[in-house]
Amino acid sequence: MNHSLPPTEAPPAAAVSATETPAATPAFSPLYQQIKGLILQSLQTSEWKPGESIPSEMELAARYRVSQGTVRKAIDELASGHLLIRKQGKGTFVATHAEHQVQYRFLKLVPDQGDLNTEGPAQREIVDCKRLRASAEIARALALRSGDTVLQVRRVLSFANVPTILEDLWLPGTPFKGLTAERLADYHGPMYALFETEFGVRMVRAEEKIRAVLPDKAQRELLQLPPNTPLLSVERIAYTYNNTPMELRRGFYRTDTHHYRNDLN
């Protein structure tokens, strides 16, 4: 594939951002946005895998036949979106959920005392892991057809041996073929890092809906709660490149010792 892009040429179709739909892309976009699209295309095709370094700004400028400043601006945007990470004196790397500063990107529940760093990693218990046919609701969320195979996982996250988060996850069956309760239990890093390393699926963004709910009997027992204890319900759809949904997650959070924190920039 010829990745060269003279500044005087019109943006090729390949330059459409991998996190946008072509229909939403204007007929003209600034040059750095075109370069951003080409870099995203290389990320999407796994030319550079999570944790690997990408070519230098000088090399990318030569490859695309643009200035280093244009490449730098494109990389800055990708870094601000947590797709790339700059490391002083080392270069620019594809972000991975195994990185400490990235692995908590989608976890917004923090302790009232201290922070995620002082609290340490959660203790995880896989309650259930099974394959089943997607209901209409699950299929719609994951852009599947009703009846397609999905993997359903239920797990409990505990902090200081106190069950704090109950999560139900639904994953499309084909990309996660071979994922079992044993593999989930044996992997001690972040779940999204497992998805990257074992299944080649990188979650790049998510949408959430938050509301207060009362748990049902099973949820209350798993979280060891007294009756009528409210929980924070967080429903998340996580997407990989090209706006493809790869996970529906429904989390039920205790907030007696934790709170939901979101930094608004």
Side-chain angles (χ1 to χ4, degrees):
M1 178 184 294
N2 180 10
H3 291 278
S4 297
L5 177 62
T8 56
E9 289 187 359
V16 172
S17 169
T19 58
E20 297 175 350
T21 57
T25 304
F28 172 81
S29 59
L31 186 57
Y32 79 91
Q33 288 283 1
Q34 300 174 45
I35 302 306
K36 175 185 174 183
L38 291 174
I39 295 174
L40 271 168
Q41 186 181 66
S42 292
L43 294 174
Q44 184 179 4
T45 58
S46 296
E47 179 179 349
W48 312 309
K49 295 179 174 59
E52 293 182 351
S53 63
I54 69 171
S56 68
E57 290 178 1
M58 183 179 297
E59 291 171 319
L60 290 173
R63 173 174 174 169
Y64 300 129
R65 289 191 283 171
V66 296
S67 70
Q68 280 185 248
T70 298
V71 170
R72 185 175 302 116
K73 193 169 183 180
I75 290 176
D76 284 344
E77 284 211 353
L78 293 168
S80 66
H82 304 284
L83 298 182
L84 297 175
I85 294 179
R86 293 187 183 275
K87 297 184 179 180
Q88 188 67 32
K90 296 182 179 180
T92 302
F93 294 76
V94 182
T96 168
H97 286 278
E99 287 276 357
H100 182 73
Q101 64 266 47
V102 176
Q103 61 183 255
Y104 294 128
R105 179 183 168 200
F106 294 150
L107 179 59
K108 302 297 185 180
L109 195 73
V110 297
D112 292 337
Q113 305 296 325
D115 56 30
L116 289 170
N117 295 317
T118 58
E119 184 175 55
Q123 301 92 50
R124 293 168 292 183
E125 176 192 359
I126 304 300
V127 178
D128 197 11
C129 181
K130 59 188 176 184
R131 291 186 177 268
L132 43 79
R133 299 294 180 184
S135 65
E137 180 186 14
I138 301 301
R140 184 165 53 251
L142 293 176
L144 302 172
R145 293 173 299 182
S146 294
D148 282 356
T149 300
V150 293
L151 183 70
Q152 182 179 358
V153 178
R154 169 167 278 196
R155 68 174 186 167
V156 174
L157 306 183
S158 299
F159 296 95
N161 296 316
V162 177
T164 306
I165 303 174
L166 169 64
E167 291 184 323
D168 290 311
L169 295 76
W170 291 266
L171 306 167
T174 300
F176 292 97
K177 185 178 181 180
L179 182 59
T180 62
E182 291 73 24
R183 292 182 76 174
L184 287 169
D186 289 343
Y187 190 84
H188 299 295
M191 183 178 283
Y192 285 170
L194 170 67
F195 293 170
E196 283 180 357
T197 56
E198 299 293 329
F199 299 94
V201 176
R202 168 154 169 72
M203 304 301 187
V204 299
R205 73 176 188 88
E207 298 174 351
E208 290 186 340
K209 297 177 182 178
I210 303 174
R211 58 172 57 92
V213 300
L214 286 174
D216 60 26
K217 184 174 183 292
Q219 294 164 347
R220 191 172 66 247
E221 289 177 351
L222 286 168
L223 290 175
Q224 301 175 14
L225 296 172
N228 299 320
T229 301
L231 296 175
L232 194 65
S233 167
V234 181
E235 180 174 298
R236 175 196 306 164
I237 299 178
Y239 298 82
T240 187
Y241 299 107
N242 207 30
N243 269 344
T244 302
M246 278 290 173
E247 177 199 57
L248 171 63
R249 183 181 299 214
R250 289 175 179 156
F252 299 91
Y253 296 1
R254 291 180 59 162
T255 58
D256 50 344
T257 58
H258 291 68
H259 61 274
Y260 192 93
R261 176 176 176 177
N262 200 5
D263 295 323
L264 303 177
N265 298 317

